[in-house]
Amino acid sequence: MNYKKIDSQDISYLKTAVSPDRVFTGEEISEDYGHDELGGVFSMPEVLVKAMDTGEVAAVMSYASEKIIPVVVRGAGTGLVGGAVAVHGGIMLDTTAMNHILELDRENLTVTVEPGVLLMDLAAYVEENNLFYPPDPGEKSATIGGNIITNAGGMRAVKYGVTRDYVRGLTVVSPSGEVMRLGGKVVKNSSGYSLLNLMIGSEGTLGIITEAILKLLPLPSRTVSLLVPFGTMESAIESVPLIIEAQVQATAIEFMERNTIMFAEDYLGKRFPDTGSDAYILMTFDGNSREEVERNYGRAADLCLELGAKDVFLVDTEERRQSVWNARGAFLEAIKASTTEMDECDVVVPRSHVAEFIKYTHELAGTSGMRIPSFGHAGDGNLHIYLCRDDMDQEAWEYKKQDVFEKMYAKARDFGGLVSGEHGIGYAKRMYLDEQCGPCQMRLMEGIKKAFDPHCILNPGKIVALHGK
């Protein structure tokens, strides 16, 4: 596709569509806008536009559609697969200033927000009102818009589900600049094709979200965690399907290795409650009565001890809670700080195969000579596995990284798994999506992209290539 290069006339128009002081070019644009959290994909936009409302977004898209200029929407930039990188230049549309909570509707248990609202700010706001927004991805500084377009999951997915389960309605600007309102505050909807659900997880390739109506729940009155050490990672993870089968209603079931915990200790400069075991399961239980929560975590603790756990630590004080969950929240940054460069494998496999898959990554670490730490959501099979460059030269790193990725994704397919559990495909993982889905599914996805975006101007080169290669 021959996209139009930005010229002075385009800049002049954009400065009329939004305030001139929110249009940036050349050296005015920080290099931070050229990459996401991991930095493996780098490309600078030709112009950066900071939008403030739906009307401005629509004006920019209408012009871009007419001129065939590529547009990439960007929130907090916390993605890991190059999804918000302007690989074809053009316009980058920053929506972080669209960060207002517009309405709390107690009667319908919904909250209406703009896409730039941060997850941590939304969670705090609804909790102050004795309400609860369950999706809980590890990166709390991500925007709600980013969570929606990647269908983010997180630690509470095992009980409460993922972002898709909490999106009731969206205001979306199409690639042509038209404004659509999809869904609403209704609980049920069987009215034609679900364009709402197509937007969720579309990674900004089909439309631009400018408002979202989100479902809320009453805030649980009590939450307790258990930290359970095991002698081996296999014994730790193999306990998870049995815990779930016992119907103890855990809110979250996380796994972590000792080395990853040690990275977090070094990174934070704070001690973890226990580091004497090779592997740990971290479980959380919530509910509206002490009896309900104690019954569930008590059954889980007894079962873990029967399955060979070395001990069970109750995380029920604020000091312990901060120690454990601050460390868990720092795992990504801690691993990143421990190496010169890293990349991530974000696979999801059936819970029954999690232990086998982690064992396989240990084998790959040995045969490749590459350090491969991991952690993840044992309760839903979503694994976060990190390939660390350390002191490898660039050529060896690129070769080994590609080889290890291909082997891990092939093993995930063998187990009936999928290429991404919650971080999306973006630019970096497209080839693995092709291998997973096959020609028929890819043709259907390409057809959906063409129907929404015939000129392929919105986040081109992501998920499906088409003419935005």
Side-chain angles (χ1 to χ4, degrees), residues 121-156:
D121 292 338
L122 174 63
Y125 173 80
V126 299
E127 285 183 18
E128 287 170 3
N129 287 275
N130 207 36
L131 294 168
F132 181 44
Y133 179 66
D136 187 37
E139 182 51 79
K140 305 300 186 288
S141 63
T143 62
I144 292 298
N147 284 175
I148 294 171
I149 64 169
T150 57
N151 189 30
M155 290 173 270
R156 293 195 284 246

Side-chain angles (χ1 to χ4, degrees), residues 8-321:
S8 59
Q9 289 185 328
D10 302 322
I11 301 300
S12 296
Y13 170 79
L14 292 171
K15 288 183 176 180
T16 64
V18 305
S19 175
D21 64 352
R22 291 187 275 113
V23 178
F24 306 88
T25 59
E27 293 184 357
E28 297 173 334
I29 307 174
S30 167
E31 282 198 2
D32 288 343
Y33 285 100
H35 61 86
D36 62 11
E37 183 71 22
L38 288 187
V41 180
F42 185 89
S43 181
M44 292 294 291
E46 296 167 73
V47 57
L48 172 68
V49 177
K50 296 189 176 184
M52 296 295 290
D53 58 38
T54 299
E56 291 185 350
V57 173
V60 170
M61 290 311 304
S62 178
Y63 183 82
S65 178
E66 177 187 346
K67 300 296 183 180
I68 319 297
I69 299 171
V71 179
V72 175
V73 182
R74 184 170 177 107
T78 60
L80 302 174
V81 291
V85 177
V87 295
H88 291 277
I91 300 167
M92 178 164 282
L93 198 56
D94 182 333
T95 58
T96 54
M98 298 173 65
N99 59 358
H100 300 96
I101 297 174
L102 302 174
E103 180 195 41
L104 179 66
D105 185 338
R106 292 182 176 277
E107 187 175 3
N108 287 300
L109 282 181
T110 63
V111 61
T112 303
V113 301
E114 291 181 321
V117 171
L118 301 185
L119 173 64
M120 59 186 178
D121 292 338
L122 174 63
Y125 173 80
V126 299
E127 285 183 18
E128 287 170 3
N129 287 275
N130 207 36
L131 294 168
F132 181 44
Y133 179 66
D136 187 37
E139 182 51 79
K140 305 300 186 288
S141 63
T143 62
I144 292 298
N147 284 175
I148 294 171
I149 64 169
T150 57
N151 189 30
M155 290 173 270
R156 293 195 284 246
V158 65
K159 179 176 180 179
Y160 289 108
V162 296
T163 299
R164 182 184 302 280
D165 301 307
Y166 296 88
V167 179
R168 287 275 175 81
L170 294 173
T171 299
V172 176
V173 176
S174 76
S176 61
E178 298 167 280
V179 179
M180 303 180 285
R181 288 180 171 82
L182 309 176
K185 293 183 180 181
V186 294
V187 176
K188 299 171 68 177
N189 185 356
S190 187
S191 308
Y193 298 132
S194 181
L195 302 182
L196 173 74
N197 276 291
L198 276 177
M199 288 295 162
I200 303 165
S202 66
E203 301 186 45
T205 63
L206 304 181
I208 301 173
I209 296 167
T210 59
E211 286 185 20
I213 301 171
L214 305 174
K215 167 186 169 183
L216 301 176
L217 298 177
L219 181 68
S221 60
R222 183 166 174 77
T223 301
V224 171
S225 296
L226 297 180
L227 180 66
V228 186
F230 284 83
T232 66
M233 179 55 73
E234 288 78 13
S235 62
I237 297 177
E238 285 169 358
S239 71
V240 173
L242 298 174
I243 293 168
I244 292 171
E245 187 178 347
Q247 299 181 10
V248 296
Q249 297 183 332
T251 307
I253 308 177
E254 300 288 293
F255 77 89
M256 56 195 75
E257 299 179 277
R258 181 177 183 275
N259 286 341
T260 304
I261 294 170
M262 300 302 288
F263 295 145
E265 280 195 340
D266 290 343
Y267 180 75
L268 295 172
K270 295 180 180 179
R271 298 291 297 172
F272 198 72
D274 181 78
T275 56
S277 298
D278 287 345
Y280 294 82
I281 294 293
L282 177 60
M283 291 181 283
T284 299
F285 302 85
D286 65 15
N288 290 315
S289 72
R290 177 185 294 271
E291 294 75 20
E292 174 193 2
V293 174
E294 288 182 350
R295 182 173 61 252
N296 281 322
Y297 80 66
R299 289 170 59 203
D302 291 342
L303 182 55
C304 286
L305 291 171
E306 290 173 16
L307 294 171
K310 297 167 68 174
D311 205 340
V312 175
F313 299 105
L314 186 62
V315 183
D316 60 345
T317 67
E318 186 60 28
E319 182 181 0
R320 283 189 173 185
R321 190 176 295 113

